[in-house]
């Protein structure tokens, strides 16, 4: 996964928002993580990324298509995956913080 900031507190002086993009190579997966106090909104520009969450009973996998939107609440452990073996996925990301907050976790949920 490659994350790129487009607009942030550091680049434009924003006080409440961060915006950028994530590129997911074919067959890739992010680490398990959350985004602290930030709300995160994702627009799928291309590819078919999948988002994996834990609902208390097991993993929930959300499969997406270009044009889909995903909302990730603050502190929700999750990961992004691109299971396609040949096509990258591109996502536009907006967060309710000045900078991108990514807190990596050892697992998607407590074992």
């Amino acid at each position: 996964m490659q994350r790129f900031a487009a607009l942030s507190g550091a680049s434009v002086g924003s006080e409440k928002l961060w915006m950028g993009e994530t590129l997911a190579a074919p067959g890739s997966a992010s680490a398990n993580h959350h985004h602290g106090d930030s709300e995160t909104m994702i627009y799928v520009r291309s590819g078919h990324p999948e988002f994996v969450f834990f609902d208390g009973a097991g993993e929930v996998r959300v499969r997406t298509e270009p044009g889909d939107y995903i909302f990730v609440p603050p502190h929700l452990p999750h990961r992004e995956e691109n299971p396609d073996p040949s096509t990258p996925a591109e996502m536009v990301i907006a967060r309710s913080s000045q900078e991108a907050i990514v807190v990596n976790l050892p697992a998607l949920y407590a074992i």
Side-chain angles (χ1 to χ4, degrees), residues 26-83:
S28 66
S30 72
N32 297 307
H33 63 280
H34 67 75
H35 301 290
D37 290 333
S38 292
E39 292 181 324
T40 300
M41 296 185 182
I42 302 164
Y43 172 74
V44 179
R45 183 185 305 155
S46 66
H48 299 277
E50 297 183 3
F51 299 85
V52 183
F53 305 91
F54 182 69
D55 70 356
E59 289 186 1
V60 175
R61 183 171 296 272
V62 178
R63 292 176 173 87
T64 66
E65 302 284 331
D68 285 350
Y69 292 87
I70 298 289
F71 174 68
V72 182
H75 297 282
L76 180 68
H78 65 283
R79 72 176 172 267
E80 299 97 22
E81 298 180 356
N82 181 9

Side-chain angles (χ1 to χ4, degrees), residues 77-103:
H78 65 283
R79 72 176 172 267
E80 299 97 22
E81 298 180 356
N82 181 9
D84 190 300
S86 59
T87 305
E90 298 178 3
M91 296 155 276
V92 176
I93 313 292
R95 293 204 177 104
S96 63
S97 59
Q98 291 176 306
E99 300 301 329
I101 299 168
V102 178
V103 179

Side-chain angles (χ1 to χ4, degrees), residues 13-31:
S14 64
E15 295 182 13
K16 298 179 182 176
L17 296 173
W18 178 95
M19 190 168 200
E21 58 186 282
T22 297
L23 304 177
S28 66
S30 72

